[in-house]
Amino acid sequence: MMSVSALTAEQAANPLINPPKTKFNMPAWDKIKPEHFEPAIEWAIEKAYAQIEEIKAVSLGDANYENIIEAYEFTGQDIGRIVSVLSYYTNNAITDELVDIEVEQGAKLSEFSAKVGTDVDLYERIKKVAKSDAPMNDVQRRLTDKAFKGFEEGPLSLGAEDQKKYLELQNELSRKTAQFGKNIKNHMDPSHKYGLKVVVPKAEIATRLAGVSADALKPFTDEATGDVIIGALPESMDILEQCQNRETRKAIHTNWTGRGNIGALNNDALASDIHHLKQQQAQLFGYDTVVDATIRPDKRAAGTPDNVLNILHRIRDVAFRASKDIYDKILVEAAADGITTYDADADDAARLCPWDLAYYANIVNKKAGGIDPEEEKKYFDVPVVMEGLKRSMKRRFGLVLEETKDFKMPHEDMQVFYSKKPSGEVDGIFIVDLYQRTTKRGGAWMDQMRPAGMVDGEWQVPITLVNCNYGVDKKSQLISFDSVETLYHEFGHGAHGHFSQKTPYQSLNSINISWDAVELPSQFNEVFAGLRRHFNSYARHAETNAKMPKKLYDKLTETKPSLQLLRQNEFGMLDLELYSNPNKISSMTAFNKAAFDRTQLIANKTDNVMVNQFSHIISGGYSSGYYSYVYADFMVSAMEDLFEKHGQKAVNAFKREFVSIGCLKTASEAFDNIYRALGEPVQPLSPDGYLRKNGYGKYLDAADAEGTSGPNVPFSFDFKRP
């Protein structure tokens, strides 16, 4: 960092430019204000340009690893530091002002990246080192190849006019993706003028919300009026499991699915524009579509689009058959209320509708001996679950978490944990933000705020941000087992980011690996939440402290076909069909409905569609990559087999060969090394093994008997229902 004496008085007073001294260089959250970001980013960009000029001042004859590659790696670290703080605020403490700042500064950062990425003098020096015969160790070679490939595949490969076009497209993408997310956030905030909500006056609760427990309504109950105000929040779906009033169920479901689809905040045109901008960028680089640019053997563990599509077709065929059986069981229970069909042409009064599924599925589950959702939650109190998670992370990964009050955080809900080595030395920081707020984006996620590495000559421990969105009564803090698994999932990502500390370089210690493998640590960590002995240590009844009876535990954790597999497959198919289409799409709503109509057994007769709220593939990083969740399931299934055979040795090998490796190896190589470390032959990943192990065997057999999917059946987005 520049010395304080080199700064103006205004810069020296800016906590993002001249951060106050804090433990482990944690951001000074209590001093940062929105007006600090613009001058800080401008300062950081100016500093980075100066660093680039120093690199270019090295003659080609004197170019070597240290003065070119390593110097380039350390360039712009202040930009990353400041942007990570801005990213926190635009996700966890969103305001319209901050979103506008993000858009405006994003344009400046895009211009900076484009200028650096098209700097011929800089490229020539990086190329000189990359092509030289100078000896390098594996880490140095990896960093050099990464820098060289970034230029070879970046905007430098374009002509002057296309470089200008690339920057224009990037700026438009930054602006439109920010607006896409902003619209969804505002729809989810019931206090916003465009916020979506279902209001049930206190006097009507008994009839309109009949069957819904007081605990389920607490997070939505206005303390002053007693009215229930249900926003477009994930927790509103829990009410559907209990609500006997069908009209109320419809209102709540329509409200939830209305995000990004209704009124002034309708995202249809934005989603279409974003899709088209991404396709134009891919085409600038010589690819037909985003799918072709993204799913390549050098970028994705799955290898090729054909391989991914054949996998999804196999799963679609099998999951559709299983889902039909599940819907038939649901229909048996719904018949008592006059609902006798899921034929799309039937009248809604007799047709099983989307807002009915959770309610009747809950009845089916309870009749089969499953636990009532409200009773289930009584076993999972957030603070107790958190203690169980900490024990699991220590047992499985050697990750010791100790809460600290050393930092003043932006919100009182946030907890901070040190990760400590056996010696007591702090080797990482976890910021944990578990609860829902109207200023926080929905969902659950992990952010590698600061990868480990050298910054300004000083080793920086990693800072990892773990987010959930528990909409709970803070006095009871009771959640479902699905929510428990979500916490373990995000801490699996967190462990991945935390343990990547093998090099001095933040870019190699990041978890920016093949996108279809990045979900492996998170989904594998979910497995440990359900191991019976560990489960008993944290799953205690809130009123009696009793363990969950084995019969209920078995039902809760049993492996069986579910509607979730077809749902995830539909999302993955939608993503790939969308980004396989090179043309401008006039109506994303119509496109989505046509895609889902192939496999949806319960017809959606509204204009509320997934794509207009699908942040992962529209404004996030999962374009042509949502299949990753399904693909990671195959990897997790393989890890479960190794764990069953080798026990903790398999987890140790997983940590050593995959979780701790960062970007030093490809994800496929790192995964195969787990087998090698255990003395096992490397096994190819296959959907069939995963499906059979998870209860889909008879549906696989039926698909094979009818020849509707498999290695010899060509893929098509069109689907002939079995």
Side-chain angles (χ1 to χ4, degrees):
M1 184 173 295
M2 292 181 178
S3 67
V4 175
S5 60
L7 302 175
T8 67
E10 185 177 354
Q11 289 173 334
N14 187 319
L16 291 171
I17 296 175
N18 183 32
K21 185 63 178 175
T22 60
K23 283 191 173 183
F24 304 102
N25 295 315
M26 174 75 90
W29 301 107
D30 58 327
K31 301 185 184 305
I32 296 168
K33 297 178 180 178
E35 59 265 27
H36 291 139
F37 285 105
E38 180 177 358
I41 289 174
E42 290 177 351
W43 167 82
I45 289 173
E46 183 181 348
K47 179 180 175 181
Y49 277 133
Q51 292 170 322
I52 294 293
E53 289 304 314
E54 289 179 8
I55 295 171
K56 289 160 58 178
V58 177
S59 68
L60 280 172
D62 291 332
N64 59 40
Y65 175 81
E66 287 77 15
N67 61 23
I68 302 298
I69 303 300
E70 191 170 63
Y72 180 59
E73 164 69 14
F74 292 142
T75 294
Q77 289 182 319
D78 287 298
I79 294 176
R81 173 179 58 82
I82 295 165
V83 168
S84 75
V85 176
L86 178 59
S87 178
Y88 162 79
Y89 281 106
T90 55
N91 284 286
N92 294 63
I94 310 168
T95 65
D96 287 350
E97 179 187 12
L98 285 164
V99 172
D100 291 341
I101 290 171
E102 182 180 47
V103 172
E104 183 178 336
Q105 300 311 307
K108 295 176 184 177
L109 292 167
S110 293
E111 182 179 1
F112 167 76
S113 296
K115 283 186 177 180
V116 173
T118 55
D119 191 316
V120 176
D121 290 339
L122 178 61
Y123 166 69
E124 289 297 336
R125 282 152 179 77
I126 289 173
K127 180 181 178 180
K128 175 73 184 301
V129 178
K131 297 295 184 181
S132 75
D133 295 328
M136 295 186 196
N137 61 37
D138 290 345
V139 172
Q140 292 171 334
R141 173 49 60 189
R142 186 74 172 173
L143 188 66
T144 301
D145 290 347
K146 177 177 172 292
F148 181 57
K149 186 177 181 181
F151 275 89
E152 288 279 291
E153 295 189 353
L156 185 67
S157 63
L158 305 174
E161 285 302 311
D162 282 346
Q163 288 178 9
K164 182 180 178 182
K165 178 68 173 175
Y166 170 81
L167 180 57
E168 291 172 354
L169 293 172
Q170 192 60 40
N171 286 340
E172 274 295 282
L173 268 174
S174 296
R175 184 176 67 81
K176 289 181 181 290
T177 54
Q179 186 62 50
F180 183 93
K182 182 178 175 181
N183 287 350
I184 294 172
K185 189 276 292 185
N186 288 339
H187 260 163
M188 294 177 70
D189 179 1
S191 66
H192 192 274
K193 68 176 180 178
Y194 294 126
L196 302 179
K197 56 184 176 287
V198 175
V199 179
V200 180
K202 182 178 180 180
E204 299 176 17
I205 291 174
T207 53
R208 291 181 60 189
L209 290 167
V212 183
S213 70
D215 285 343
L217 295 180
K218 273 183 183 178
F220 302 100
T221 302
D222 185 283
E223 292 184 2
T225 65
D227 296 344
V228 173
I229 303 172
I230 304 169
L233 302 168
E235 288 71 25
S236 66
M237 295 295 94
D238 294 343
I239 296 175
L240 297 188
E241 293 179 328
Q242 304 175 40
C243 186
Q244 297 167 4
N245 187 306
R246 199 178 189 206
E247 285 304 310
T248 303
R249 293 202 304 265
K250 179 179 180 180
I252 294 171
H253 185 274
T254 304
N255 189 62
W256 165 244
T257 58
R259 294 163 298 130
N261 284 290
I262 292 175
L265 304 185
N266 187 305
N267 273 337
D268 191 290
L270 268 177
S272 177
D273 288 346
I274 291 167
H275 164 265
H276 190 50
L277 289 166
K278 290 180 179 181
Q279 295 290 23
Q280 288 177 282
Q281 276 196 333
Q283 289 157 9
L284 275 180
F285 288 98
Y287 297 99
D288 291 334
T289 67
V290 173
V291 167
D292 296 320
T294 303
I295 307 177
R296 298 159 23 196
D298 62 323
K299 294 185 71 174
R300 294 293 182 263
T304 66
D306 283 348
N307 186 43
V308 173
L309 291 168
N310 285 329
I311 288 170
L312 290 182
H313 177 53
R314 179 64 157 173
I315 293 173
R316 175 175 63 177
D317 186 6
V318 172
F320 181 87
R321 296 168 187 271
S323 295
K324 190 173 184 302
D325 279 359
I326 294 170
Y327 282 129
D328 286 343
K329 292 177 182 177
I330 290 173
L331 205 57
V332 169
E333 297 302 328
D337 293 328
I339 300 171
T340 57
T341 182
Y342 45 78
D343 184 344
D345 295 326
D347 184 85
D348 278 2
R351 182 177 72 91
L352 190 67
C353 295
W355 43 87
D356 298 317
L357 291 177
Y359 178 70
Y360 291 109
N362 185 29
I363 294 174
V364 171
N365 175 60
K366 286 192 286 188
K367 286 193 173 182
I371 189 169
D372 178 84
E374 284 304 300
E375 186 65 19
E376 173 191 326
K377 290 178 183 178
K378 291 180 181 178
Y379 286 92
F380 306 112
D381 181 69
V382 173
V384 181
V385 168
M386 191 67 200
E387 289 302 311
L389 171 84
K390 288 162 60 179
R391 289 192 296 273
S392 180
M393 299 306 292
K394 180 180 180 180
R395 168 76 177 87
R396 298 302 172 188
F397 295 100
L399 180 61
V400 178
L401 297 171
E402 181 180 295
E403 189 168 7
T404 177
K405 301 295 184 182
D406 284 348
F407 308 102
K408 186 173 182 180
M409 301 306 293
H411 196 278
E412 61 182 7
D413 285 346
M414 302 175 78
Q415 297 171 275
V416 182
F417 296 87
Y418 286 139
S419 166
K420 292 189 173 182
K421 297 179 180 180
S423 64
E425 178 187 355
V426 172
D427 64 353
I429 297 171
F430 283 77
I431 301 172
V432 181
D433 190 1
L434 297 181
Y435 300 104
Q436 192 179 92
R437 295 188 294 276
T438 57
T439 57
K440 183 179 175 184
R441 78 172 171 94
W445 70 98
M446 184 281 288
D447 182 21
Q448 195 178 21
M449 285 193 68
R450 184 177 74 195
M454 297 297 292
V455 178
D456 293 325
E458 179 184 355
W459 177 261
Q460 301 289 305
V461 300
I463 299 178
T464 304
L465 175 62
V466 173
N467 297 278
C468 292
N469 260 287
Y470 297 150
V472 299
D473 177 358
K474 295 293 178 63
K475 294 178 182 178
S476 59
Q477 301 192 60
L478 303 179
I479 57 175
S480 67
F481 184 57
D482 277 349
S483 294
V484 173
E485 290 183 312
T486 297
L487 181 62
Y488 277 70
H489 179 105
E490 299 308 333
F491 261 90
H493 281 309
H496 193 190
H498 168 78
F499 284 116
S500 297
Q501 301 193 33
K502 288 186 175 294
T503 82
Y505 310 121
Q506 288 184 314
S507 70
L508 293 185
N509 294 338
S510 78
I511 57 172
N512 188 25
I513 64 171
S514 296
W515 211 243
D516 47 9
V518 78
E519 294 296 333
L520 170 59
S522 55
Q523 290 178 215
F524 185 44
N525 201 45
E526 291 180 39
V527 171
F528 303 124
L531 296 180
R532 178 62 168 164
R533 184 175 177 182
H534 173 62
F535 181 92
N536 283 344
S537 76
Y538 70 83
R540 297 301 184 105
H541 198 281
E543 297 166 4
T544 66
N545 200 39
K547 299 175 185 177
M548 182 178 286
K550 185 176 185 303
K551 182 179 178 181
L552 292 181
Y553 164 81
D554 289 343
K555 278 291 182 182
L556 186 68
T557 59
E558 72 177 319
T559 300
K560 62 180 180 180
S562 74
L563 299 175
Q564 180 70 7
L565 184 61
L566 182 61
R567 178 178 180 270
Q568 287 293 87
N569 187 269
E570 286 172 338
F571 292 172
M573 283 283 197
L574 172 67
D575 174 34
L576 291 184
E577 185 172 4
L578 182 65
Y579 288 107
S580 294
N581 187 332
N583 303 313
K584 173 76 172 175
I585 296 173
S586 59
S587 170
M588 295 294 268
T589 299
F591 186 94
N592 192 155
K593 288 173 77 72
F596 277 12
D597 280 350
R598 298 189 186 107
T599 50
Q600 277 193 334
L601 287 158
I602 308 300
N604 171 25
K605 292 190 175 182
T606 74
D607 284 332
N608 292 349
V609 295
M610 183 65 189
V611 72
N612 292 336
Q613 57 193 230
F614 205 171
S615 299
H616 277 74
I617 69 168
I618 302 298
S619 59
Y622 278 81
S623 304
S624 302
Y626 198 82
Y627 75 89
S628 302
Y629 288 99
V630 174
Y631 195 78
D633 280 335
F634 308 157
M635 303 177 91
V636 171
S637 180
M639 279 306 310
E640 286 179 308
D641 292 342
L642 292 172
F643 180 57
E644 185 175 337
K645 182 175 181 179
H646 295 280
Q648 184 59 31
K649 286 183 179 179
V651 185
N652 295 343
F654 176 60
K655 175 186 173 184
R656 184 175 62 252
E657 303 295 340
F658 192 98
V659 173
S660 302
I661 214 70
C663 296
L664 284 173
K665 299 182 185 298
T666 67
S668 296
E669 182 183 2
F671 186 71
D672 289 349
N673 282 345
I674 300 170
Y675 283 97
R676 297 184 181 107
L678 294 169
E680 296 281 354
V682 175
Q683 298 293 327
L685 294 174
S686 164
D688 286 18
Y690 161 78
L691 289 167
R692 201 168 290 281
K693 189 164 79 173
N694 284 274
Y696 292 88
K698 71 175 184 178
Y699 305 109
L700 274 170
D701 294 340
D704 287 339
E706 296 174 25
T708 51
S709 63
N712 298 317
V713 180
F715 169 81
S716 171
F717 281 114
D718 291 330
F719 180 58
K720 183 179 180 181
R721 296 187 174 194

